[in-house]
Amino acid sequence: MEGVALSDDLSDSTQRSDWDSDQRVYFIPYSWWRDAQESVLGDSDGRRGILYVTSQASSYAGPMKLINNIFNSDLVFNLRRENDSVQSGENVEVGVSGRDYALVPGEMWVQALRWHSDSKVAVKDGRSFSAAEDDITDVYPLQLRLFVSRETNSLGVKVTKKDNPVEFFKRACKIFSVESEMLRIWDFSGLTNLYFINERAKSPRDFQRQSDEILLELQVYGLSDSFKCRERKKDEIAMQPSTIANSRSGASVMMNGSAGITNSNFIRSLWGSSCETGSLGLTGLQNLGNTCFMNSSIQCLAHTPKLVDYFLGDYGREINPDNPLGMNGEIALAFGDLLRKLWAPGATPVAPRLFKSKLSRFAPQFNGFNQHDSQELLAFLLDGLHEDLNRVKCKPYVEVKDSDGRSDEEVADEYWENHLARNDSIIVDVCQGQYKSTLVCPVCKKVSVTFDPFMYLSLPLPSTMMRTMTLSVVNTDGHSQPSQYTITVPKHGKLEDLIQGLSVACSLGIDETFLVAEIYNNRIIRYLEEPTDSLSLIRDQDKLVAYRSMKDVEQVPLVVFTHQLMEEQHVHGKLTSSFGVPFVSRLPNSASGSDICNLYLKLLKPFQTPAKDSQECFDSSRGTILEEVSRTEDSIPPVIDGGVNPSNGNGADSPFDSEFKFYITDEKGISKDKKILMKEIVEREETKRLNVLVCWPKKYIKQYDTRLLSSLPEVFKTGLFAKKPQESVSLYKCLEAFLKEEPLGPEDMWYCPACKKHCQASKKLDLWRLPEILVIHLKRFSYSRFFKNKLETYVDFPIDDLELSTYIAHESDQLCNRYMLYAVSNHFGSMGGGHYTAFVHHGGDRWYDFDDSHVKPISQDKIKSSSAYVLFYRRVVEV
């Protein structure tokens, strides 16, 4: 809510006064003000009120002397300054007629209105009600023309029809009628006193002087008939047993039929139930051109408890223009001015041009009219407000000490005290917490513990922390066909995580193991054998095969078979027409050519088609249908029970040997022109693996299911236009993913002071100290070198009860760890053409949708959506 603007045309040399340039002055019944003084202000506020009494203008002989006659119907009277004064909180005898009034500044009126609004909440039939919105309709402006006479120690006052609407003028005539009874006004604002002092530097900026006149706008409150009627109703309700007990003393109240939260914040008591113009805080922001991201964040902050009270008060006293890390106080002033406009009674949608100008000046990344990230704007704004309002004028040098075996509690408090010694602002008071960071060196196991402050929590969505991978499992014993398995592994995990997940998926025996290899162009291009290798080295388009074998044969050398059509052998010594998944098995060093042949035929047997099947087969390597070949005696498969066909013999000169050809190749599949003969022992080089190329006669192709042999999926296949199923995850799962121990990425290596080198340490975060306002950022956007992506995961977040006690490493008995949602920044649409809005809680079960300049009610069941981007929670105050 914005305070009244008092305008003047004083010279530029006029210095800043105690009055904020945008503070309004409210004219209110003194009895209404007196009721709230003791509870709201207490004895600590030393503000004294100056007493004025009215008299008719005929006794005044100054330039404003006017005679009320038939030719002039303006209301004119004098205010004579008395010597008596009263301090806020003192009891003053109020006249029987109630013609005693008070002038109070905007922030004091806010506090009094808050207290009265709280006192109007009563339990009736298990439900609560509030008359706050009705209160707002009783505020209306009244223009007065003043003339100061130091000689007579009085003020001349004139109220004209020219300056005011007819209805407001009639009300003024009733209020300031001086014929019937004397009227008394106590000025607690200090405004009128400024007219009498001779120090122009302390005069308020916002007066408009016309010759000797001063134009003053008062905000009149509490003097309508409807207000008086409601006050009588309040008194009647107060006599009922169901009313709030001892509300003035701050006792707990009943909300929605149950013991609720004692809420002393202004905005909580003023939230209305409609979005009509005039409801406090329900004011939209105009879109200046792709500024919805800015509007969304501002609306969330503009409805943040304590920040509203702070910026509606005299926050200017805490501006630190000399902070080299700040922005000369300009961001704080621009934001405060904007917030006041949003909370002004009767406000219409505000164009935040000044704030946008300041933002572009100090943060060039937000210059122009491109779409930006609301969370990035929020991070900059919170940091900028903190530096502009930092109460520390000279930051001391603080040396971080090692823990030296001290308890975490002692070290954490020391870190926090050091932080507060350099950073002390309303943002730190309200929005900053502390977490514990633990780093462990993987080599020497050195442990480093630090306690760092945070302004918000950026939580990953579990879908971004996990990765789906598909692999083919091929047995090395030739007893079954390949099988495909899809598993979920940590995105930044290691090969051992992949092996473990795959072992569970295919029920791997304790005596079995996997050899994982990457296949490209129908041959193995690399083996994944190091358990600590990062899974980030595996791309989504890669094709992986896990060869399943027994552990007891791990010491036996590997033999790797690749397949090729005989009719299309080598071109310049390179493999040109290979097909299918390579076979892998184990074979002793003393194996002969027939042993290799028999092993190959054994591995090939699961792919053999039934003899009665004579349909055409697809050659996947060539993309054509092979011509049907009738089953003749020459085309009988050479495999019988896993061995060489005995009718063909077993020697080097057998008919089978003249059809399937075996060649030794190198790791790259290049043939060494060394044919394997059946009767001879194969000479093997000192290597772990024997690479064998098998050349197939075309007539055997259709007798084996080459489609199954060549079916190899990618690790992750994404459909270009395929719609992903809606994912759902709880906010607690996101928090657990944030707090989970994980290795640092290659780009975030940690320098170990013991090893004296950078290493990929493991990192663990723990929440240690939570702020009053907890801002949670859901990391929906991911960026890489080649693409941007937005996750549409539905996050199920609590609205009324976010319980974080189980996630706090150090729980304090003095603070509650339960939070309530009060605002949400949403992002609708995709990365390129999205739109930001804000959902804001306005008391009870009332929520409002702030869509730029449009503000409308929204049901609570629509608050949760897959568009929720930044969540704003406030701590529940338990009594």
Side-chain angles (χ1 to χ4, degrees):
M1 174 180 49
E2 184 185 10
V4 73
L6 305 174
S7 302
D8 76 353
D9 59 356
L10 296 179
S11 64
D12 294 337
S13 63
T14 300
Q15 299 177 358
R16 183 190 183 97
S17 71
D18 293 336
W19 276 87
D20 185 91
S21 61
D22 290 328
Q23 190 167 30
R24 297 195 176 196
V25 177
Y26 286 79
F27 183 82
I28 58 179
Y30 181 80
S31 59
W32 181 89
W33 165 249
R34 183 191 58 184
D35 291 341
Q37 281 185 19
E38 181 177 353
S39 297
V40 173
L41 300 179
D43 296 330
S44 61
D45 194 307
R47 193 188 300 266
R48 304 189 67 87
I50 300 175
L51 175 62
Y52 291 86
V53 296
T54 58
S55 62
Q56 293 187 10
S58 58
S59 63
Y60 178 65
M64 267 188 59
K65 180 176 180 180
L66 295 170
I67 300 175
N68 295 333
N69 51 38
I70 58 175
F71 301 106
N72 191 343
S73 59
D74 291 342
L75 176 63
V76 181
F77 59 93
N78 292 335
L79 289 175
R80 187 181 69 255
R81 182 172 178 174
E82 299 294 319
N83 293 329
D84 296 336
S85 64
V86 62
Q87 184 170 344
S88 296
E90 293 182 5
N91 290 325
V92 176
E93 183 180 356
V94 181
V96 177
S97 63
R99 303 198 67 205
D100 295 87
Y101 302 94
L103 289 175
V104 298
E107 70 271 17
M108 296 175 71
W109 176 77
V110 163
Q111 296 177 62
L113 184 61
R114 177 180 58 201
W115 182 88
H116 279 280
S117 297
D118 288 340
S119 69
K120 291 177 185 178
V121 178
V123 178
K124 184 177 181 181
D125 298 329
R127 296 184 178 180
S128 67
F129 71 91
S130 173
E133 185 178 354
D134 295 328
D135 292 337
I136 303 309
T137 61
D138 287 311
V139 179
Y140 63 90
L142 186 66
Q143 301 286 344
L144 285 72
R145 295 180 181 271
L146 307 178
F147 182 84
V148 181
S149 175
R150 291 183 175 84
E151 294 79 4
T152 60
N153 205 27
S154 63
L155 289 172
V157 183
K158 180 173 69 173
V159 184
T160 69
K161 289 183 178 179
K162 179 181 178 181
D163 295 333
N164 298 278
V166 175
E167 179 63 28
F168 295 168
F169 179 78
K170 290 181 179 180
R171 294 184 183 182
C173 291
K174 291 182 180 180
I175 296 171
F176 298 111
S177 175
V178 295
E179 283 106 6
S180 59
E181 186 178 352
M182 181 179 65
L183 179 145
R184 296 189 298 179
I185 300 176
W186 278 273
D187 180 15
F188 293 101
S189 69
L191 172 66
T192 57
N193 191 48
L194 297 177
Y195 300 158
F196 291 97
I197 61 178
N198 196 27
E199 298 176 17
R200 297 190 65 192
K202 294 185 178 180
S203 298
R205 251 186 347 157
D206 299 326
F207 299 121
Q208 296 176 351
R209 291 187 181 271
Q210 300 172 358
S211 67
D212 293 324
E213 292 182 352
I214 300 175
L215 181 62
L216 169 67
E217 180 182 280
L218 291 181
Q219 299 297 314
V220 182
Y221 171 76
L223 299 177
S224 67
D225 294 336
S226 60
F227 175 86
K228 297 173 183 177
C229 179
R230 289 199 313 277
E231 289 297 304
R232 287 194 296 270
K233 278 188 177 182
K234 183 189 73 173
D235 295 337
E236 294 173 1
I237 293 174
M239 302 300 295
Q240 300 176 6
S242 60
T243 55
I244 304 173
N246 198 20
S247 64
R248 293 189 186 181
S249 62
S252 62
V253 300
M254 299 291 290
M255 300 184 66
N256 297 327
S258 60
I261 303 162
T262 298
N263 190 356
S264 62
N265 292 304
F266 161 65
I267 61 173
R268 292 287 297 169
S269 63
L270 293 186
W271 282 337
S273 59
S274 74
C275 61
E276 298 175 359
T277 300
S279 295
L280 283 181
L282 298 180
T283 306
L285 286 167
Q286 294 181 14
N287 193 321
L288 306 179
N290 277 333
T291 57
C292 59
F293 75 96
M294 181 180 75
N295 294 346
S296 175
S297 293
I298 289 176
Q299 291 289 8
C300 292
L301 286 182
H303 291 83
T304 296
K306 289 204 173 177
L307 287 188
V308 176
D309 289 340
Y310 177 83
F311 281 101
L312 290 181
D314 191 11
Y315 71 94
R317 293 179 301 177
E318 294 193 342
I319 288 181
N320 186 349
D322 301 322
N323 186 357
L325 299 179
M327 282 146 278
N328 305 321
E330 295 185 36
I331 285 293
L333 288 171
F335 178 78
D337 175 72
L338 182 58
L339 184 141
R340 287 169 179 253
K341 291 178 181 177
L342 291 176
W343 282 94
T348 57
V350 178
R353 291 188 177 88
L354 176 62
F355 180 82
K356 178 66 167 60
S357 171
K358 300 294 184 183
L359 182 68
S360 300
R361 175 184 170 189
F362 293 104
Q365 65 269 30
F366 298 115
N367 196 10
F369 300 97
N370 294 325
Q371 185 66 278
H372 295 281
D373 191 317
S374 68
Q375 188 274 331
E376 292 179 0
L377 181 278
L378 177 68
F380 168 80
L381 183 54
L382 288 175
D383 186 66
L385 290 175
H386 159 63
E387 296 296 350
D388 273 359
L389 299 169
N390 197 345
R391 304 177 185 110
V392 179
K393 307 303 181 182
C394 182
K395 295 186 177 183
Y397 172 76
V398 177
E399 184 177 356
V400 179
K401 299 179 182 178
D402 194 23
S403 60
D404 291 331
R406 294 179 294 166
S407 65
D408 284 348
E409 290 78 6
E410 181 181 352
V411 177
D413 289 343
E414 182 181 276
Y415 268 83
W416 188 248
E417 291 172 3
N418 291 341
H419 175 67
L420 295 182
R422 296 173 55 85
N423 302 275
D424 182 18
S425 69
I426 182 64
I427 303 300
V428 175
D429 298 342
V430 175
C431 299
Q432 284 198 356
Q434 186 182 36
Y435 61 77
K436 174 185 176 183
S437 176
T438 305
L439 292 170
V440 180
C441 177
V443 180
C444 68
K445 304 304 178 183
K446 164 70 177 178
V447 178
S448 172
V449 178
T450 57
F451 293 86
D452 304 311
F454 67 86
M455 195 92 72
Y456 51 85
L457 298 179
S458 289
L459 304 187
L461 305 187
S463 57
T464 64
M465 298 299 296
M466 304 301 290
R467 181 182 182 185
T468 299
M469 302 182 72
T470 301
L471 296 85
S472 294
V473 175
V474 178
N475 288 303
T476 59
D477 56 8
H479 289 159
S480 61
Q481 296 178 346
S483 302
Q484 294 181 6
Y485 293 91
T486 299
I487 59 174
T488 302
V489 296
K491 185 174 183 180
H492 302 290
K494 302 176 182 179
L495 179 63
E496 58 188 0
D497 299 317
L498 174 64
I499 299 296
Q500 181 180 0
L502 189 60
S503 300
V504 174
C506 66
S507 302
L508 189 72
I510 59 174
D511 56 347
E512 293 181 295
T513 186
F514 280 126
L515 173 64
V516 181
E518 180 183 347
I519 310 299
Y520 182 74
N521 283 344
N522 306 112
R523 65 182 181 87
I524 297 175
I525 60 171
R526 65 167 173 156
Y527 296 91
L528 287 73
E529 298 179 281
E530 182 57 49
T532 59
D533 281 351
S534 174
L535 292 180
S536 61
L537 300 175
I538 302 175
R539 302 172 301 175
D540 286 346
Q541 60 269 32
D542 292 342
K543 297 181 179 181
L544 300 183
V545 172
Y547 294 99
R548 184 174 185 172
S549 62
M550 304 301 293
K551 288 183 178 179
D552 57 3
V553 296
E554 284 185 318
Q555 302 303 319
V556 180
L558 282 176
V559 57
V560 180
F561 298 97
T562 53
H563 325 283
Q564 178 189 344
L565 288 178
M566 186 178 294
E567 285 78 359
E568 303 177 17
Q569 295 184 1
H570 303 81
V571 176
H572 303 297
K574 294 185 179 180
L575 191 62
T576 59
S577 57
S578 58
F579 67 93
V581 179
F583 291 158
V584 172
S585 189
R586 302 280 179 175
L587 195 66
N589 286 325
S590 59
S592 64
S594 61
D595 294 329
I596 293 176
C597 177
N598 286 333
L599 177 59
Y600 179 75
L601 296 178
K602 179 182 179 181
L603 298 175
L604 189 61
K605 185 176 181 180
F607 300 93
Q608 186 176 357
T609 58
K612 63 180 180 179
D613 186 3
S614 60
Q615 65 181 1
E616 295 178 339
C617 293
F618 179 71
D619 181 357
S620 63
S621 65
R622 301 174 62 189
T624 59
I625 300 293
L626 299 176
E627 60 178 330
E628 184 177 351
V629 181
S630 62
R631 289 184 179 272
T632 62
E633 195 176 60
D634 291 337
S635 64
I636 296 176
V639 180
I640 298 177
D641 295 331
V644 177
N645 191 335
S647 64
N648 291 334
N650 201 22
D653 299 326
S654 66
F656 169 70
D657 181 55
S658 64
E659 297 183 49
F660 278 79
K661 307 296 184 182
F662 294 82
Y663 298 90
I664 295 178
T665 65
D666 59 14
E667 292 285 346
K668 297 181 180 180
I670 300 177
S671 174
K672 299 180 179 180
D673 294 328
K674 186 173 183 180
K675 184 178 180 181
I676 298 177
L677 301 178
M678 295 298 104
K679 292 182 179 180
E680 296 182 1
I681 299 297
V682 177
E683 295 182 2
R684 306 177 65 170
E685 298 179 358
E686 293 298 327
T687 179
K688 290 183 179 181
R689 306 175 184 95
L690 175 65
N691 297 283
V692 178
L693 171 65
V694 182
C695 296
W696 283 50
K698 184 182 291 187
K699 63 180 179 179
Y700 288 131
I701 288 293
K702 75 166 193 172
Q703 298 177 38
Y704 293 88
D705 191 348
T706 56
R707 289 171 294 187
L708 179 61
L709 184 63
S710 300
S711 178
L712 192 60
E714 294 181 356
V715 168
F716 183 76
K717 183 71 172 179
T718 56
L720 184 58
F721 300 102
K723 186 176 181 180
K724 296 181 180 179
Q726 178 72 54
E727 295 180 275
S728 178
V729 65
S730 73
L731 183 63
Y732 293 109
K733 290 294 184 183
C734 298
L735 184 58
E736 290 169 4
F738 174 74
L739 300 176
K740 183 180 179 181
E741 182 178 358
E742 62 180 7
L744 296 176
E747 67 280 359
D748 296 322
M749 303 286 276
W750 173 64
Y751 182 80
C752 177
C755 297
K756 305 297 182 182
K757 64 179 181 180
H758 288 86
C759 60
Q760 196 170 357
S762 62
K763 183 176 183 180
K764 175 72 170 67
L765 293 178
D766 293 290
L767 298 178
W768 190 265
R769 191 190 311 264
L770 292 178
E772 182 172 339
I773 299 299
L774 179 62
V775 180
I776 297 179
H777 165 226
L778 302 176
K779 299 174 70 173
R780 292 195 177 276
F781 303 122
S782 61
Y783 305 88
S784 71
R785 182 178 177 183
F786 303 104
F787 67 92
K788 300 177 182 179
N789 183 42
K790 179 190 175 184
L791 293 171
E792 298 289 348
T793 304
Y794 174 85
V795 178
D796 185 10
F797 50 86
I799 294 180
D800 298 319
D801 189 9
L802 175 64
E803 179 57 66
L804 298 178
S805 297
T806 58
Y807 299 95
I808 302 296
H810 172 65
E811 189 169 354
S812 173
D813 296 334
Q814 299 178 355
L815 296 177
C816 174
N817 294 317
R818 288 198 306 116
Y819 287 81
M820 289 184 64
L821 185 75
Y822 71 89
V824 181
S825 176
N826 304 292
H827 180 270
F828 296 91
S830 61
M831 289 286 295
H835 179 63
Y836 287 93
T837 67
F839 294 156
V840 174
H841 184 220
H842 245 21
D845 59 354
R846 296 185 296 272
W847 285 81
Y848 287 83
D849 179 8
F850 288 75
D851 186 357
D852 289 332
S853 58
H854 304 287
V855 182
K856 61 182 180 181
I858 185 174
S859 60
Q860 183 169 305
D861 57 1
K862 293 183 179 179
I863 299 304
K864 297 182 183 181
S865 73
S866 58
S867 300
Y869 183 40
V870 183
L871 310 176
F872 293 77
Y873 283 92
R874 63 177 182 84
R875 174 180 279 124
V876 173
V877 180
E878 294 183 335
V879 294

